Amino acid sequence: MQRDPKILICAGAKRAGKTYIVNLLFLQHVAELAGRRAKIILGGANQSSIRRNVLDDMEQLLGRRIKLDRQNSFPLFGNRVVCLEGANSDAWKKARGFTAAGMFLNEATALHDRFVKECFSRCSYPGARVFIDTNPENPMHPIKTDYIDKSGSCLHSGRVNIKAFHFTLFDNDTLDPDYVDSIVQSTPSGMFTDRDIYGRWVNGEGVVYRDFDFSRHLLSAGQIAGRRFVRYLYGVDWGYEHFGAIVVIGVTEDGEYVLVREIAAQHQEIDYWVRAAKSVQAAYGDYPFYADSARPEHVDRFRREGLRTINANKAVLSGIEAVAGKIKQDKFYAADCCGRFREEITQYAWNERTGEPVKLYDDVLDAVRYAIYTDENPPFAVLR
Ligand SMILES: Nc1ncnc2c1ncn2[C@@H]1O[C@H](COP(=O)(O)OP(=O)(O)OP(=O)(O)O)[C@@H](O)[C@H]1O
Ligand SMILES: [Mg+2]
């Protein structure tokens, strides 16, 4: 007990085994409290991520089904585990009023800081322990600065207060080596490799799509004519002072994505973009337009014109990772006639301070990202 840290954090790479080990330690802690009828917090972004990331593995470890009651809680070794959703700014309110004998926070950087702090203040039961797993993010993230950077600090009693363990992908020796190799090869260079493979808390630096190679990934008209496209995706980014853009991406049978056409212009009204979209539809066929949702009146106008228009999934980092992953795997190409694309791909850069891209030279690239990422991660309404 003296050696056990009050707060134990497993941070690092994806698929490294962090959640699995925290799950085991958490079960051990709850078992030590057997029969105390104590409340224990299990926090995650939402109920479905708690189920997917934690409860499914916990069922395997326990060898029994876990069924949540209406309060999203379940009994465990004579105690009660309460599953709390922590992603939103008001999530902390649900954690009020508890006295908790421990907690497990899954994917802590996906939780709202206020929720995390509220949960910590709930753990006042004598001997309460805290277990956290997380992927790395911006190095200024409070999970890093408030907890991980204080690893090794002790309480007045001499007990270790916080202990953080760092994981890389290579720490999980239960994974098939070929699988590990394929993850390494398909993860974009730079920030994504640093975070996802090596578990480092770093922001991106330099250009965003650094694996794009003009000598390999730009195609001539002849090279494009030699490919057979089974379908097309259209992406739309609205702009007036900035460039507006409509892009056409052909998808081959082998899952290659080729930017075959861009229409990029400044100072054009919506009528211009309707005409452009109709000309694209006439040339390539009736496929959905994945559009920036920031201008609902433009989305409505497209729909009124009979253009099938879907609000794009705009998750920036995941979308960039999806496009950059295709570039890394030689699954994304662009026609060499796409002049604005060529300009943007060499200029689009990370803001090293915020961890987000600089919002410049991003118009055609945003349209490309909306099309590819939304096609892979469609909004719920489209799935039905
Ligand atoms: N010690 C172990 N024994 C058996 N299986 C393990 C062990 N550690 C991890 N695994 C398995 O490896 C896979 C990845 O582990 P886990 O989900 O814990 O990774 P993670 O670091 O939480 O990843 P992510 O960041 O993607 O959530 C899971 O299928 C898990 O069951
Ligand atoms: Mg995990």
Side-chain angles (χ1 to χ4, degrees):
M1 180 70 185
Q2 198 62 16
R3 280 183 313 130
D4 290 339
K6 185 165 170 59
I7 301 166
L8 187 146
I9 306 170
C10 291
K14 287 185 182 168
R15 308 295 295 159
K18 308 178 301 293
T19 309
Y20 189 88
I21 208 84
V22 167
N23 221 332
L24 273 175
L25 293 167
F26 175 76
L27 287 177
Q28 189 186 5
H29 174 64
V30 181
E32 281 167 8
L33 299 170
R36 303 266 190 96
R37 295 170 177 269
K39 277 199 178 147
I40 295 159
I41 294 171
L42 172 49
N46 51 58
Q47 294 297 343
S48 58
S49 71
I50 294 172
R51 166 54 66 186
R52 199 173 54 244
N53 297 339
V54 181
L55 297 181
D56 286 349
D57 267 357
M58 197 179 280
E59 285 183 342
Q60 296 265 325
L61 291 167
L62 292 170
R64 70 166 168 92
R65 288 268 303 139
I66 294 173
K67 198 167 169 310
L68 301 188
D69 64 15
R70 278 209 231 135
Q71 280 76 44
N72 290 315
S73 76
F74 64 95
L76 184 64
F77 305 133
N79 297 292
R80 182 148 291 275
V81 177
V82 187
C83 301
L84 297 177
E85 313 197 314
N88 300 326
S89 57
D90 60 351
W92 64 278
K93 291 180 185 162
K94 282 181 245 150
R96 275 185 304 197
F98 269 82
T99 299
M103 70 170 172
F104 175 171
L105 298 182
N106 173 239
E107 303 204 334
T109 51
L111 308 178
H112 199 276
D113 188 42
R114 193 151 181 202
F115 173 81
V116 173
K117 300 274 161 32
E118 181 68 24
C119 288
F120 262 96
S121 70
R122 299 289 112 222
C123 290
S124 55
Y125 192 96
R129 294 188 64 191
V130 172
F131 303 90
I132 294 177
D133 78 70
T134 187
N135 294 111
E137 240 214 37
N138 186 333
M140 296 313 291
H141 194 285
I143 291 291
K144 167 112 184 344
T145 56
D146 294 349
Y147 306 107
I148 293 178
D149 287 348
K150 295 179 180 157
S151 179
S153 64
C154 290
L155 299 167
H156 290 304
S157 61
R159 180 179 177 189
V160 177
N161 186 27
I162 304 178
K163 180 81 189 148
F165 295 89
H166 177 249
F167 285 65
T168 76
L169 173 65
F170 309 103
D171 289 327
N172 186 347
D173 51 20
T174 69
L175 298 176
D176 176 5
D178 282 351
Y179 173 75
V180 172
D181 197 28
S182 80
I183 295 185
V184 171
Q185 288 191 27
S186 60
T187 303
S189 306
M191 181 188 79
F192 294 109
T193 289
D194 280 336
R195 288 185 183 180
D196 297 354
I197 311 284
Y198 296 100
R200 299 183 186 123
W201 294 74
V202 292
N203 280 341
E205 48 186 44
V207 294
V208 172
Y209 292 117
R210 63 162 79 175
D211 292 316
F212 192 87
D213 178 349
F214 274 47
S215 66
R216 278 188 301 134
H217 297 136
L218 276 186
L219 303 182
S220 65
Q223 287 172 305
I224 289 180
R227 282 177 160 77
R228 209 173 73 79
F229 297 112
V230 289
R231 64 193 180 101
Y232 291 91
L233 313 172
Y234 306 142
V236 185
D237 189 39
W238 313 111
Y240 188 80
E241 286 303 333
H242 279 212
F243 277 81
I246 293 182
V247 299
V248 178
I249 296 169
V251 185
T252 69
E253 219 158 31
D254 301 333
E256 286 178 348
Y257 290 71
V258 183
L259 173 65
V260 294
R261 183 150 172 227
E262 68 173 23
I263 301 168
Q266 275 173 297
H267 307 131
Q268 294 293 347
E269 306 290 340
I270 186 64
D271 292 344
Y272 171 92
W273 295 109
V274 169
R275 280 197 305 276
K278 286 187 173 172
S279 76
V280 157
Q281 198 182 37
Y284 298 94
D286 181 19
Y287 296 100
F289 288 83
Y290 295 110
D292 181 3
S293 53
R295 299 299 298 271
E297 71 281 18
H298 290 354
V299 171
D300 284 348
R301 171 73 190 276
F302 262 40
R303 288 177 178 158
R304 279 203 307 280
E305 297 282 350
L307 298 160
R308 213 149 33 101
T309 310
I310 293 168
N311 281 328
N313 186 331
K314 292 173 66 175
V316 180
L317 280 195
S318 314
I320 289 176
E321 190 163 13
V323 176
K326 293 202 185 331
I327 294 172
K328 175 85 188 268
Q329 297 168 74
D330 294 332
K331 292 278 187 196
F332 178 83
Y333 297 86
D336 61 8
C337 60
C338 293
R340 181 71 196 168
F341 171 85
R342 294 170 57 149
E343 167 112 22
E344 290 187 10
I345 199 109
T346 53
Q347 308 264 13
Y348 187 45
W350 293 109
N351 178 333
E352 291 174 31
R353 199 177 42 79
T354 62
E356 298 259 318
V358 181
K359 290 192 201 331
L360 285 172
Y361 299 103
D362 60 357
D363 308 303
V364 168
L365 293 180
D366 276 355
V368 167
R369 168 163 68 84
Y370 296 157
I372 289 179
Y373 188 60
T374 317
D375 184 58
E376 287 182 345
N377 300 275
F380 184 60
V382 178
L383 290 174
R384 275 185 300 185

